[in-house]
Amino acid sequence: MTALSHLKGIIFDMDGTLVDSGLDFTAMRAEMGLRPGIPILEQLAELSQADRAAKEVILHRHELEGAKRASLIDGADRLLQALAREGRPMAIVTRNSTENTRRTLKFLNIGHYFDIVICRDDGPHKPDPWAILEICRRWQMTVDEVVMVGDYELDIQSALNAGCPSVLFTEGKNPATVEGNEHATHSATHFDELYHLLAPREDSI
């Protein structure tokens, strides 16, 4: 049995974890006139309704362009297939919009893998634990029966806030270079590591 194969449900972030949309958040913040290094959604929440609406047009344009060029991160399809064969439910929690999330999942033909998809339009977004707790409620599982997999500090913080295990996926980067890495219960630098952490009990990559 692998380290997390006993867990019943798997929750994934989308961009940077399963999907590469090529989103340049630094460029997005610059075009919107936002402060560098601070998450976009948090900065938008500070603005007046009119100013926020104008900047959201820019945000949606970048996200739409990302959905059109999206590709699966190497190894993601094999992991999703393995988890599906085991019958373990999977969900996505993303700070992307519902529209662009649906476009991306449809374009890549992976939407059928996920029982639940929660986007920023659905409720409080990461690092708030609401989405993880809502998924647990729908699956009728406790938080220690699921794991959150993501590539960013906000993914790991949401898991910490919910009280569930987490995997920091870095796609080749040293996990120590990712802010908040110390809060992750596990880390994986490549999908083969993530594969062996999460899924197949006897299979090998």
Side-chain angles (χ1 to χ4, degrees):
M1 179 176 288
T2 57
L4 298 173
S5 63
H6 64 289
L7 295 177
K8 295 181 179 179
I10 316 296
I11 304 171
F12 290 99
D13 170 52
M14 186 175 74
D15 291 304
T17 301
L18 297 172
V19 174
D20 182 1
S21 300
L23 294 174
D24 186 337
F25 293 100
T26 299
M28 291 163 67
R29 280 189 287 262
E31 186 175 347
M32 287 186 274
L34 300 177
R35 302 186 300 279
I38 302 173
I40 290 171
L41 299 183
E42 280 70 12
Q43 294 197 65
L44 293 180
E46 300 172 352
L47 304 176
S48 67
Q49 184 174 353
D51 198 10
R52 181 172 66 249
K55 295 185 190 310
E56 284 177 343
V57 171
I58 299 171
L59 175 61
H60 286 306
R61 171 166 51 80
H62 279 272
E63 289 179 332
L64 177 57
E65 291 168 355
K68 291 177 179 177
R69 64 173 175 258
S71 62
L72 275 177
I73 292 176
D74 187 37
D77 54 346
R78 189 167 187 270
L79 176 61
L80 295 175
Q81 289 166 15
L83 291 169
R85 283 196 302 269
E86 290 191 340
R88 293 159 77 190
M90 291 177 275
I92 281 180
V93 175
T94 176
R95 285 163 59 101
N96 210 316
S97 69
T98 300
E99 177 184 2
N100 281 297
T101 299
R102 287 175 177 167
R103 285 176 182 268
T104 301
L105 297 178
K106 182 178 180 180
F107 177 65
L108 296 174
N109 193 30
I110 58 172
H112 60 283
Y113 286 117
F114 304 103
D115 297 353
I116 304 169
V117 176
I118 294 182
C119 308
R120 66 168 178 255
D121 314 296
D122 297 318
H125 49 71
K126 297 177 290 189
D128 193 287
W130 174 79
I132 294 174
L133 298 176
E134 175 63 13
I135 290 167
C136 288
R137 184 189 69 80
R138 296 189 203 177
W139 281 347
Q140 296 185 330
M141 297 180 188
T142 61
V143 289
D144 56 359
E145 293 177 316
V146 305
V147 61
M148 176 75 211
V149 182
D151 68 311
Y152 191 47
E153 178 186 12
L154 297 178
D155 302 309
I156 304 308
Q157 187 64 49
S158 68
L160 183 66
N161 292 340
C164 74
S166 61
V167 180
L168 175 64
F169 174 67
T170 63
E171 199 188 359
K173 293 184 295 186
N174 183 340
T177 66
V178 179
E179 193 167 348
N181 69 84
E182 69 275 10
H183 298 304
T185 53
H186 297 76
S187 63
T189 56
H190 299 284
F191 254 99
D192 57 348
E193 294 178 48
L194 190 57
Y195 187 94
H196 287 298
L197 267 177
L198 290 177
R201 297 175 174 84
E202 299 176 7
D203 196 2
S204 60
I205 197 161

